[in-house]
Amino acid sequence: MGHIRRTLQNRRGDAFVFILILVFFILTLSAILIEYFRMESLYQQVEYVLQRGVNASVEYAVLDEYRRDGYARMDSDLAEKKLYEYLHESMELDSGLNKYAGEEWAYELEIERIDVTDTPPRLTLNGVLKTRSIFSFLTGDVRLPFSISSVNNRIQEGGS
Amino acid sequence: MKAAKDISADAGGAKQMNSKHRGIRGRNSPPLLFQKLLFSRKGSSYFDLMIKTLVVITLMATVMSFLSIFTTYLNLNHVCRRVVRVVELEGQVSDKAYDVFYRLKQQTGLSPEMTVEDVQYCDGQKIQLRNTFTVMMEYSHPFTIFTPSFAPPVQINIPMKVSITGMSEKYWKLSE
């Protein structure tokens, strides 16, 4: 008991402990910042690529025969089919919508809802981007929600 | 002290030295006032601060001049990204894309060279929906190291290259 008390009250080497705490604090702060910007960058990239896919699906599925008559109308099923085709072929997601960077798992898309309307030709994709951070052992997987929409109202021939 | 003055030096009496002999380096030492100034420590922290400030300002100027390189690279990246987006939306390297390119060149003050690579055109200059292409921009940034008043500035050219891949979002219904 006396030994523990003596060790606790002993001030020798306290500068070393202080430096250790400081280094730990700085490293943790740096890791948090780096992780935050990595997540932000990943989220923006995925959002950008998804927006492109949604735009392309709507563009492909707009019915030209209606456009000629001055109406904007879309084949909803075709748009949805093209979107999934884009997710698998262009974004290279697997059947469970997982993305791998080489052998390593990068993220997973969880699509919650796809709202498609024929007139006006609109496709809205709602879902969650699921990924991991180095703090996953504390917080679990990171879930970043997204909502991406594309509308095509142009009725001139060749428009998008 | 008065008693010692009357006794000769040989007899052990101390004689006051001439001021010329008192310097630490003997007869050839600098004049007393200059010597005093050299060895005086009064105001030394002021000079210390002045030198440190000069060093800090020089360092800051150096860092800021290096920042221009990063700014130029970021600008080049921005120009390339914008042009890629226009080509994506247009589905071709159209006049609109060149308009945006020239406008951004004027805005940023850069004059990069643009090339479109890895592209598969269909029916002229059209890029079919979901086909990819790469826009590459090259620029040589003249970095001025210093500008002497009697000679032209000393510069080094830093080559920069940015390439961004895009994907066409335009569906071209091609005639059979």
Side-chain angles (χ1 to χ4, degrees), chain B residues 132-150:
Chain B
T132 55
F133 59 92
T134 303
V135 174
M136 194 168 78
M137 288 196 184
E138 283 180 278
Y139 178 63
S140 191
H141 175 62
F143 179 67
T144 308
I145 297 169
F146 63 95
T147 316
S149 55
F150 53 86

Side-chain angles (χ1 to χ4, degrees), chain B residues 20-73:
Chain B
K20 280 182 185 170
H21 298 268
R22 276 191 302 171
I24 52 165
R25 286 172 194 165
R27 202 177 287 274
N28 293 327
S29 61
L32 188 61
L33 185 67
F34 188 59
Q35 197 178 333
K36 263 186 184 170
L37 267 175
L38 273 178
F39 288 99
S40 171
R41 295 188 65 81
K42 269 203 267 182
S44 63
S45 57
Y46 178 67
F47 282 99
D48 199 35
L49 189 71
M50 263 173 42
I51 292 165
K52 277 180 183 165
T53 311
L54 267 175
V55 170
V56 168
I57 288 171
T58 314
L59 274 175
M60 275 174 70
T62 313
V63 169
M64 279 169 78
S65 64
F66 274 112
L67 274 180
S68 73
I69 300 170
F70 296 107
T71 312
T72 308
Y73 185 77

Side-chain angles (χ1 to χ4, degrees), chain B residues 2-175:
Chain B
K2 199 172 184 183
K5 205 178 175 184
D6 298 335
I7 307 166
S8 72
D10 294 334
K15 193 180 175 186
Q16 202 170 14
M17 280 177 75
N18 190 321
S19 65
K20 280 182 185 170
H21 298 268
R22 276 191 302 171
I24 52 165
R25 286 172 194 165
R27 202 177 287 274
N28 293 327
S29 61
L32 188 61
L33 185 67
F34 188 59
Q35 197 178 333
K36 263 186 184 170
L37 267 175
L38 273 178
F39 288 99
S40 171
R41 295 188 65 81
K42 269 203 267 182
S44 63
S45 57
Y46 178 67
F47 282 99
D48 199 35
L49 189 71
M50 263 173 42
I51 292 165
K52 277 180 183 165
T53 311
L54 267 175
V55 170
V56 168
I57 288 171
T58 314
L59 274 175
M60 275 174 70
T62 313
V63 169
M64 279 169 78
S65 64
F66 274 112
L67 274 180
S68 73
I69 300 170
F70 296 107
T71 312
T72 308
Y73 185 77
L74 286 176
N75 277 336
L76 191 66
N77 205 296
H78 170 71
V79 173
C80 193
R81 201 172 290 277
R82 287 286 301 275
V83 171
V84 165
R85 190 66 194 139
V86 175
V87 177
E88 279 182 340
L89 293 172
E90 289 284 308
Q92 58 183 332
V93 190
S94 59
D95 290 343
K96 208 177 254 183
Y98 282 110
D99 280 350
V100 169
F101 178 52
Y102 288 124
R103 201 145 29 86
L104 287 168
K105 266 168 81 170
Q106 281 179 341
Q107 278 175 15
T108 55
L110 306 178
S111 49
E113 282 179 24
M114 181 176 81
T115 46
V116 183
E117 294 177 338
D118 304 329
V119 59
Q120 196 183 347
Y121 291 114
C122 60
D123 195 21
Q125 290 285 300
K126 292 167 183 168
I127 306 168
Q128 187 53 283
L129 183 76
R130 281 176 52 194
N131 276 1
T132 55
F133 59 92
T134 303
V135 174
M136 194 168 78
M137 288 196 184
E138 283 180 278
Y139 178 63
S140 191
H141 175 62
F143 179 67
T144 308
I145 297 169
F146 63 95
T147 316
S149 55
F150 53 86
V154 180
Q155 289 180 330
I156 48 167
N157 284 319
I158 300 166
M160 291 179 182
K161 194 197 272 187
V162 173
S163 61
I164 297 176
T165 302
M167 187 184 278
S168 171
E169 291 180 20
K170 178 100 173 177
Y171 180 52
W172 297 101
K173 287 205 169 165
L174 303 170
S175 51

Side-chain angles (χ1 to χ4, degrees), chain A residues 27-46:
Chain A
L27 284 179
T28 312
L29 201 70
S30 311
I32 290 170
L33 279 174
I34 291 167
E35 271 301 285
Y36 172 76
F37 285 110
R38 190 184 69 82
M39 293 273 169
E40 182 70 24
S41 167
L42 177 76
Y43 181 69
Q44 279 183 4
Q45 276 177 24
V46 172

